[in-house]
Amino acid sequence: MQLNSIKPADGSKHAKRRVGRGIGSGLGKTCGRGHKGQKSRAGGYHKVGFEGGQMPLQRRLPKRGFKSAQLKFAAEVTLAELQLLEAAEIDVSLLKAAGLVKQLAKSVKVIKSGELTKAVVLKGIGATAGAKAAIEAAGGSLA
């Protein structure tokens, strides 16, 4: 194979549409735009969502707020809050019972804020890198 013999695949290249070049092209005279009207004119078109002057759908509908579903079911616990708990083994149900996370929480993550001096074992709870290091330095672990 030589560089001068390379050709594109059949059908991958086609001639550009040349409008307004006579009736033989199939796109002569009105160039495929039809006859009169805004869309037939040069520069004549309307913005997306324009409904002819009628109040557009995006403005007729009421504005509503938004809350991410991920934030709704995820919760955070600090090291200082873990320090207050009496239990040595901590899981999500214990945190819910203690009132540290909402009842809807599906996942809990420990963040490094405050001090932890006692050893705790976390079951089914995530932790940031800093929080994990602090828990392991206090003699605890993540299971």
Side-chain angles (χ1 to χ4, degrees):
M1 181 167 67
Q2 302 293 321
L3 282 176
N4 64 345
S5 66
I6 298 173
K7 290 183 178 177
D10 287 335
S12 66
K13 296 285 187 179
H14 50 85
K16 191 175 105 174
R17 183 191 313 179
R18 297 183 70 215
V19 297
R21 294 296 184 272
I23 62 172
S25 69
L27 292 167
K29 193 183 167 226
T30 55
C31 309
R33 288 172 171 256
H35 285 278
K36 297 179 206 170
Q38 186 179 18
K39 290 196 269 186
S40 73
R41 319 261 186 226
Y45 217 68
H46 48 75
K47 67 180 182 183
V48 176
F50 184 69
E51 298 183 19
Q54 172 177 296
M55 188 62 68
L57 183 67
Q58 74 269 20
R59 290 188 61 200
R60 288 199 302 267
L61 296 175
K63 291 194 286 185
R64 297 298 305 265
F66 173 78
K67 282 190 178 177
S68 173
Q70 289 178 327
L71 295 176
K72 189 174 184 180
F73 300 117
E76 290 179 347
V77 180
T78 64
L79 291 173
E81 290 171 335
L82 292 181
Q83 180 71 30
L84 299 174
L85 294 173
E86 300 296 322
E89 285 191 6
I90 299 171
D91 61 350
V92 179
S93 60
L94 184 87
L95 293 173
K96 286 179 182 179
L100 292 177
V101 297
K102 292 183 180 179
Q103 293 296 321
L104 288 173
K106 286 192 170 73
S107 65
V108 179
K109 196 168 197 176
V110 180
I111 58 173
K112 185 183 176 192
S113 177
E115 293 291 319
L116 183 67
T117 55
K118 63 179 185 174
V120 291
V121 178
L122 300 179
K123 292 191 174 182
I125 297 174
T128 62
K132 185 176 179 182
I135 291 166
E136 290 170 348
S141 65
L142 279 83

